[in-house]
Amino acid sequence: MHVRVSAKGSLLFLVPQRLVRRHVVRFSSSANIKRPLTRPFIHLWSQQGNLTMEQSDTNTGKRKHDEPDPPETAGRGKRRRGAGGKKLRPGERYIPPPQKRNPGVSFSQDHFNETSYYVEGGLRKVFPYYFDFKTYCKGRWVGKSLQEVFKSEFRSESIEYYERAAKEGRIRLNETPVEDLSVVLRNNDHMRNTVHRHEPPVIGTPLKILVDDGEVLVVDKPASIPVHPCGRFRHNTVIFILGKEHGISELHTVHRLDRLTSGVLLFARTLETSKKLDQMLEKEYVCRVEGEFPEGKLICEEPILVVSFKIGLCRVDPKGKECRTVFQRLSFNGKTSVVRCLPLTGRTHQIRVHLQYLGFPILNDPIYGSHAWGPHRGKGGLIGKSDEELLQALVEEHRSQEDLHLLAFMDDCIGVTKEAAKVEETDSEADKSGKSFPAQAEDCSEKENCNKASPEEPQSLESTVANSAQKTSPGTQDHLCSECKLVRPDPTKKELIMYLHALRYKGPDFEYSAESPDWAKEDWVETDFS
């Protein structure tokens, strides 16, 4: 800004043209001033008729001309609007400042309208749909090219896939389509990856609302359905089902249940109610375990350590966190036992880990009942493998099962959602995980009318997304989607259920309970369940 001295010796500021436009002032022929309503600017008119401006501070008496002048910038080229006044060097990319996210924003009708579902063979299935995975550049990515990041972090698809996806406008950097993956990432770069997303089927049993009194919402969750969007699941989740089918949103979870666990699930209408309930809950579970569980009460206080934060795998370890579970046998049918479980602490997979340690794993637990834990299957904490070897053994054991139990292992969506082959998917909703920019492995399937475009005749993203909204038959394909090329058998009901059920949650003046499952009956035998 220019400074000069008036005829009376006072300092006057020449106002840049942009300020003249923003702060409109009208002057009479007698040079009288009509002050604008916005302060603290005071506009003056000099004897020469030049528009001048001073900035005053009513609290300190300081004026802007008492401060050092900003550096001269005239004649040094244009600045990018919105770039914070920083001049871009030749070839330099403009990176907009990161947008603040509102953690309280809930899912909206637009999210629910992404796709629809249908029930087939007792399973709830979601039509595949197009979805944007979004994330800001991670610190470890700065200075690396997009190609390097895809090769190292998102390996579920080949680099050739990402190159083709980029050419079709499916990969964006700061909302600009990226055609060349050699672009080098910088801090605050925002990436968007549009994928054709597939969700695994879940049990088609309707979600039952037990209580809705305006403060607390209680549902009876079927097994196989995750609580929140996570991993491969979004529309086949409790949160989305409540929002889309019951018009219930903006809920706060009081506790969570593993995907394969069924039973009582509490939500609060407000954060205050959620915190209040969490401090007074007494939890009661029922499960069916292998072998003859001891009679009477049995208390396990072994500390639990998280083996992998990425997937939430845990084991008993002296370095773990304090933990306490009370068990009591309810019945024994000659092969398996029904056990009442009272977790007095809230560690991840607490009941499952303690039962494994005691030598009575849950009958069909795909993780803690696995032979990957060694000949003792983790009893007494005997594993004989490093954590890395254990993880590898679990993956290998489940790889041969058409990924069915592997999905249960990888997509259980514990507190820290998995980041194994993915990072956090961010979509402004309240899912704490905010998950991210995964490769296509967890996102594709058959879906809406994509005109069945072939690789030789690529279809534009705009056309593809437009057709995706038609919600036609589940038999159409996306020509880039690897999942569309696979034919997977439907899981059986038995493969989607674990014999662990949240039976009752209670406090000083309330109690919420669900019916006991069939497999918990005293005369139940495994052959009855299919």
Side-chain angles (χ1 to χ4, degrees), residues 176 216 268:
T176 301
V216 179

Side-chain angles (χ1 to χ4, degrees), residues 186-245:
R186 297 177 57 194
N187 191 31
N188 287 334
D189 268 331
H190 184 264
M191 293 176 283
R192 181 193 297 259
N193 181 19
T194 301
V195 299
H196 190 230
R197 187 171 185 174
H198 294 229
E199 294 192 25
V202 297
I203 288 178
T205 304
L207 197 67
K208 184 186 299 183
I209 296 179
L210 302 176
V211 176
D212 187 5
D213 59 10
E215 290 189 359
V216 179
L217 176 74
V218 185
V219 302
D220 187 355
K221 184 185 92 68
S224 80
I225 304 178
V227 178
H228 296 283
C230 54
R232 292 164 55 90
F233 298 90
R234 181 169 169 85
H235 289 265
N236 270 346
T237 61
V238 174
I239 291 293
F240 263 62
I241 293 173
L242 285 174
K244 186 166 186 172
E245 299 178 24

Side-chain angles (χ1 to χ4, degrees), residues 114-339:
E114 290 168 345
T115 186
S116 56
Y117 75 95
Y118 59 102
V119 176
E120 181 181 69
L123 299 176
R124 187 183 191 274
K125 300 180 178 181
V126 173
F127 288 117
Y129 55 99
Y130 288 93
F131 180 78
D132 287 340
F133 282 102
K134 297 173 283 186
T135 185
Y136 280 102
C137 178
K138 312 300 178 188
R140 63 182 179 274
W141 301 349
V142 174
K144 295 182 179 180
S145 68
L146 266 176
Q147 187 178 63
E148 291 177 296
V149 171
F150 280 127
K151 281 184 177 179
S152 61
E153 306 260 355
F154 308 114
R155 293 173 294 179
S156 54
E157 287 290 348
S158 67
I159 197 63
E160 288 75 24
Y161 161 79
Y162 293 112
E163 290 171 347
R164 291 175 59 194
K167 288 179 180 179
E168 296 198 14
R170 301 195 186 192
I171 298 175
R172 293 174 174 258
L173 197 60
N174 304 318
E175 300 308 322
T176 301
V178 173
E179 295 184 3
D180 187 356
L181 298 183
S182 65
V183 61
V184 175
L185 296 174
R186 297 177 57 194
N187 191 31
N188 287 334
D189 268 331
H190 184 264
M191 293 176 283
R192 181 193 297 259
N193 181 19
T194 301
V195 299
H196 190 230
R197 187 171 185 174
H198 294 229
E199 294 192 25
V202 297
I203 288 178
T205 304
L207 197 67
K208 184 186 299 183
I209 296 179
L210 302 176
V211 176
D212 187 5
D213 59 10
E215 290 189 359
V216 179
L217 176 74
V218 185
V219 302
D220 187 355
K221 184 185 92 68
S224 80
I225 304 178
V227 178
H228 296 283
C230 54
R232 292 164 55 90
F233 298 90
R234 181 169 169 85
H235 289 265
N236 270 346
T237 61
V238 174
I239 291 293
F240 263 62
I241 293 173
L242 285 174
K244 186 166 186 172
E245 299 178 24
H246 300 276
I248 301 173
S249 59
E250 299 183 8
L251 298 172
H252 300 264
T253 51
V254 179
H255 66 104
R256 64 173 302 280
L257 296 177
D258 294 335
R259 182 170 69 87
L260 297 181
T261 303
S262 58
V264 178
L265 180 64
L266 270 65
F267 295 95
R269 294 286 189 174
T270 65
L271 184 59
E272 293 72 21
T273 302
S274 175
K275 293 178 179 178
K276 175 183 174 184
L277 289 174
D278 188 49
Q279 295 173 353
M280 61 176 62
L281 281 181
E282 294 181 22
K283 309 170 186 179
E284 179 180 345
Y285 289 73
V286 63
C287 66
R288 182 170 285 276
V289 303
E290 297 181 17
E292 184 177 1
F293 198 85
E295 292 184 332
K297 285 187 178 181
L298 192 158
I299 300 175
C300 184
E301 296 182 315
E302 297 297 328
I304 290 180
L305 178 72
V306 178
V307 174
S308 171
F309 284 99
K310 291 181 179 179
I311 55 178
L313 183 67
C314 303
R315 63 176 169 80
V316 166
D317 190 281
K319 299 188 294 292
K321 291 185 177 181
E322 177 185 353
C323 199
R324 191 166 192 254
T325 313
V326 178
F327 297 103
Q328 182 179 16
R329 192 180 87 182
L330 299 179
S331 65
F332 174 60
N333 67 359
K335 291 184 178 180
T336 59
S337 305
V338 176
V339 179

Side-chain angles (χ1 to χ4, degrees), residues 24-41:
V24 179
V25 184
R26 289 183 293 176
F27 301 90
S28 66
S29 58
S30 59
N32 291 329
I33 301 173
K34 290 186 178 180
R35 295 181 179 177
L37 295 177
T38 56
R39 288 200 176 193
F41 294 106

Side-chain angles (χ1 to χ4, degrees), residues 131 133 150 153-158 161-162 193-200 230-233 403 406-407 410-411 418 420-423 436-446 480-486 488:
F131 180 78
F133 282 102
F150 280 127
E153 306 260 355
F154 308 114
R155 293 173 294 179
S156 54
E157 287 290 348
S158 67
Y161 161 79
Y162 293 112
N193 181 19
T194 301
V195 299
H196 190 230
R197 187 171 185 174
H198 294 229
E199 294 192 25
C230 54
R232 292 164 55 90
F233 298 90
D403 286 345
L406 180 61
L407 290 179
M410 298 292 287
D411 289 333
K418 65 171 180 177
K422 309 156 190 48
V423 202
S436 62
F437 193 63
Q440 193 132 345
E442 67 160 18
D443 334 315
C444 321
S445 168
E446 40 188 42
L480 289 186
C481 178
S482 61
E483 191 78 8
C484 282
K485 300 175 178 64
L486 300 178
R488 298 184 187 275

